[in-house]
Structures are given as C-alpha cells and as structure tokens.
Amino acid sequence: MSVASVMQASQGLNASVEALAALGAALRIRSEGMRVDPDVASLLDRVIEAIQPGGIEDLTADQAAIVLAFVRAFFRQALDLLENPARAPGWSFEDPVILQAQGQASRSIAQTFCAYAEKDPDFAAALSRPARLLDVGTGVGWLAIECARLWPTMQVLGIDIFEPALVMARGNVAAADIGARVAFRNQDIADLDEVEAFDLSWFSGPFIAADKVPESLRQIARATKPGGWLVFGTYNPPPSELGRLLTGLRIVRSGGRPWSEAEAADLIEAAGFESRGSFTTGSPVLVVVGRKAGKPQ
Ligand SMILES: C[S@@+](CC[C@H](N)C(=O)[O-])C[C@H]1O[C@@H](n2cnc3c(N)ncnc32)[C@H](O)[C@@H]1O
C-alpha cells in the first residue's frame, strides 16, 4: 500500500475522530452550560447539524451527560491505545477523567434495568421490593449510586479489585446524599463467599478476566437468593465489521473478552441461572438476564 493511500485513509478517519470530539464538545456545552466564542459556537452548530440533523436540543441535561460520558470514556481509551499500544491488558487507569466518565456512562445500565422491568413483571417486582444488589466491578461507584437513587429501599454492595477506583467510589458516595445504603469492598468476585445474600447482581462482563468468569458466575449463583436475578452486561458493538473489531479491541485492552449473547447465555446457564434472553435499549450496553430457580422469600 502506498504512502498516499495510507495518508488518504488516515485523513478520512480523522474526520470521524474530529466529529466525535465536536459532538462531545457540544454535549459538554449543553450539560455544563459553558460560554463559547461565537464563531466557534456557530461552526460547531453546523458540524452537529451535519452529524445529527436537528441537533441535540431534545436531550435532557442528564441524557446529554450520559452520552457525553460514553464519548469521553471511549475517546480517552482510544487515546490510551495511541499513546500506550504496548500496555498489558487490564483495567489499570488512574486518570480520574477515564474512571469517572466510564462510571457515569454506566449509569445508563440503571435505565436498562428500568426498561427491562417494563417487559418482565417478575424483574419489576424484584426491584420494587427492598432488594440487595451486588455490583460486580463497581469501579468508582456510579452505577451503584444511580441504583440507590432510583430505588430508595435498595441496599447496594459494590465490589472491585482496583483500590484507586474504590477510593474515588467512596468520595462519590459521600457526596451523593444517599445515606448508608451503598457500601464498597475490595474483593475479587471469584472469591465471593456469601450464600443466598443478594436479590440481584450486576456483572461487568467486558472487564472481568475471561478465565475467572465461569467460577465468578458460580459464586454469584450461590450468593443469589432463590428467585433472584443476574444481569450479565456486555457491549453491543456497532453493526459494521470495523465497529465490531474495535469494540473487541477495547474490551480486550480493558482486561475482558467480547462475549457474544449466546456465549453469555451459556455461561449463566452453566452457573445455575435460567437465561431469560438478552436486552438492549440502544445504548452501547447489551444485557443477558438470568434468574435463579426458586420462589423469592
Ligand atoms: C470500568 S468498571 C465499571 C464501571 C462502574 N460501573 C463505575 O460506576 O465506575 C469495571 C470494573 O471491574 C473491575 N474488575 C475487574 N476484574 C474484577 C474482579 N475479578 N472482581 C471484581 N472487580 C473486577 C475493574 O477493576 C473495574 O473497576
């Protein structure tokens, strides 16, 4: 391949990079109420209109904040690929922007719980009772906090093996005014030893080392009450082959494996849950839902 064609390909792709940055900038201006130079603002408006006819005006500030969080989290991870291609796979970022953005993006998972509850009345009933949620791979705690905010009787235990994230999680929960309903523990999910303690577990599929996943799911099954739930999360890649490859690359660099829906369903069934199928709201996250046999007490 000639230098001219590589250069041409790189400049074509650069338009997508700059478009994503422009969309992120517009979302920041909207959700953070920033003042911007009028010439820059007017050009940015035209770029956003070209990306998304009608612009982003219809989004609430919170919706804009969640889309922005995905943009920032993925953009920074792309920058890490560029700057540190030889970094060993794993979730070892200490950059607070990546950690907080990835956490804020995961608030969308609570919306996925709400949307799935609309279609599965048994799941809705579990959320409406005072439930204990296990948040596996809690990171900086934003999903745990969002769930505690949405379901005022829910108690959440977030576990993680990355202490720098847990330090931030404790700071985030202290500022969130949700009392003592969210706790964090530095623990590997493969070593969980609770028995029938949780009504519902969230499993951060893309971040857990693949070789630990089967045993981790068995531990979760044991720790789940009869009739309790497991929500196994994975990424829903864009439909193109390039999008699928890039999503897989990001997942592997995060320390996990890009499980397909069918693989996730097999894994949760092998651990002792009945698979209730997969579900997505159109966000980058796809969930596979499982239920443990038995009647909820
Ligand atoms: C990126 S976070 C998810 C974001 C999170 N919902 C938030 O609000 O920040 C995924 C987490 O899984 C954690 N993790 C990876 N392997 C784990 C394991 N074996 N046990 C527990 N947590 C693990 C990583 O340390 C990482 O913090």
Side-chain angles (χ1 to χ4, degrees):
M1 191 177 273
S2 69
V3 65
S5 74
V6 177
M7 187 69 86
Q8 211 174 13
S10 77
Q11 290 311 299
L13 293 170
N14 190 55
S16 296
V17 172
E18 292 185 348
L20 185 60
L23 179 60
L27 288 162
R28 272 194 84 179
I29 292 164
R30 171 144 177 65
S31 59
E32 296 172 28
M34 289 172 160
R35 288 174 68 83
V36 180
D37 174 89
D39 291 341
V40 172
S42 131
L43 284 166
L44 199 49
D45 281 348
R46 289 176 60 191
V47 170
I48 299 307
E49 189 58 34
I51 297 172
Q52 182 79 39
I56 55 170
E57 292 309 308
D58 290 346
L59 271 63
T60 65
D62 198 50
Q63 288 168 333
I66 288 180
V67 180
L68 171 61
F70 274 110
V71 172
R72 292 185 102 177
F74 290 177
F75 210 103
R76 292 265 173 153
Q77 286 168 69
L79 194 59
D80 174 70
L81 172 62
L82 176 64
E83 300 298 341
N84 306 303
R87 174 177 71 71
W91 189 255
S92 53
F93 297 112
E94 298 203 28
D95 172 3
V97 178
I98 293 190
L99 294 177
Q100 297 284 16
Q102 186 75 39
Q104 286 284 333
S106 75
R107 291 198 295 125
S108 67
I109 294 157
Q111 302 303 330
T112 304
F113 289 179
C114 292
Y116 180 72
E118 278 180 24
K119 112 181 179 93
D120 187 333
D122 295 334
F123 188 75
L127 290 176
S128 66
R129 284 189 288 269
R132 264 198 98 200
L133 165 69
L134 174 67
D135 177 17
V136 177
T138 197
V140 298
W142 283 117
L143 172 61
I145 292 168
E146 188 75 358
C147 288
R149 276 192 187 134
L150 278 171
W151 294 285
T153 55
M154 188 177 270
Q155 304 272 342
V156 188
L157 173 65
I159 65 167
D160 208 289
I161 48 175
F162 189 47
E163 189 57 29
L166 288 171
V167 169
M168 279 184 222
R170 292 185 192 103
N172 288 336
V173 88
D177 195 23
I178 44 171
R181 289 187 295 116
V182 177
F184 299 109
R185 189 194 288 168
N186 187 331
Q187 181 168 38
D188 192 319
I189 180 57
D191 300 332
L192 188 74
D193 57 9
E194 264 102 337
V195 179
E196 297 191 358
F198 300 99
D199 301 275
L200 167 67
S201 294
W202 161 254
F203 187 76
S204 281
F207 299 93
I208 313 291
D211 59 349
K212 284 188 181 175
V213 168
E215 179 56 19
S216 301
L217 295 175
R218 277 193 291 277
Q219 303 290 23
I220 294 173
R222 196 182 51 167
T224 302
K225 294 180 189 172
W229 298 82
L230 166 66
V231 184
F232 182 119
T234 187
Y235 282 122
N236 191 21
S240 69
E241 176 66 359
L242 181 59
R244 199 182 58 75
L245 288 168
L246 290 167
T247 302
L249 177 58
R250 172 160 33 79
I251 291 173
V252 167
R253 292 188 86 246
S254 299
R257 178 171 156 184
W259 302 106
S260 68
E261 288 173 52
E263 286 171 329
D266 286 350
L267 282 163
I268 66 176
E269 294 241 347
F273 293 94
E274 180 211 343
S275 172
R276 307 272 279 219
S278 62
F279 185 73
T280 181
T281 58
S283 90
V285 177
L286 175 133
V287 300
V288 179
V289 180
R291 188 170 193 196
K292 185 169 167 175
K295 257 195 165 330
Q297 295 116 4

